[in-house]
Amino acid sequence: MARTAHPKLKHGFEHVKELLQPSGLVMERLRAAIFDHILAREPLPIWRITMKWTASVAAFALLFSFAPKLFLAPTIEASPQNVLIPTEGIVSVTKGAEWTQMVSRLELSEPLTVRTGELSAATIILGDTAVLRLDENTEVNLRPTALLPSHARNEPIARVSYGRLWATSLLPETLSTATTLVLPQGNVQLKNGSISLFVDPVRSTLQVYHRFADLMASTGQATHLIEGDQVTLLPEGAIQRNLVTKNMRSEEWVRTNLSRDAAHRTEVEEHMQELARAAAGILPT
């Protein structure tokens, strides 16, 4: 036990586990990479084809025995990639009773409420599917759905009570589910995009800075928003629609988050390619 507790060995085991247990978001891409690898071959003599398919079946059987989660729906449990990171100042959490001030990053295994103080900030990373960045004086209630695999998130992942929040979703547009947030005035859905929210119980403002978002007001009115749109949600369900100005886009809050989004998307894409190569590499060449 002492040997496996060594930091380097533990990191190595975690890397192997990550390769054998990819998240729900990458399963479809892994399947595509594997079958493309099989099909994209020149015609071969029948005896060689038979041998290759026999080897492939044996490899798949071995893969199923060691990593069933690659092809089957992941169990409903928190991934080590679901984390809450206090990045600045005072960040507190509660699971329904007392508030606890955070001193380090927290792996998320159950829903909770996060609150940032003055001159404080925090980041919630939900695997490789979504990122929520809380500015100062912000409160977010993370729901159980947030910890489910991406394909099982049929309900909102969080409720934003008040404050300023940046939300980024990395879900494929072909996926039936979306990253959904609850506001006092309605719900907002993202597939693959980024938005900035300023939330208040009386009126809230939503700005789209990447791709698109869908707004469902509490009155039932649906509004499709594209990059550059801004909407203000007023009392009694009224909506004011405007455009994001050049000055808004040049604000430090926006520039910083867009830069972080770009870096995060690159990391996620590299991770997916690594998993795809690892899975496709088991097939005969």
Side-chain angles (χ1 to χ4, degrees), residues 27 30 37 67 76 97 115 143 159 168 195 202 218 275:
M27 290 194 299
L30 292 178
H37 190 89
I76 300 176
R115 178 187 294 171
R143 297 187 171 182
R159 177 181 178 85
T168 297
I195 61 173
V202 177
S218 56
L275 292 174

Side-chain angles (χ1 to χ4, degrees), residues 97-112:
E98 297 181 355
W99 287 89
T100 302
Q101 184 173 331
M102 297 185 63
V103 295
S104 61
R105 59 186 289 154
L106 173 68
E107 291 190 1
L108 299 172
S109 59
E110 56 186 324
L112 47 71

Side-chain angles (χ1 to χ4, degrees), residues 84 91-93 99 112-116 122 124 134 138-140:
L84 167 61
V91 179
S92 302
V93 298
W99 287 89
L112 47 71
T113 300
V114 187
R115 178 187 294 171
T116 57
I124 300 172
L134 288 66
T138 301
E139 182 174 300
V140 172

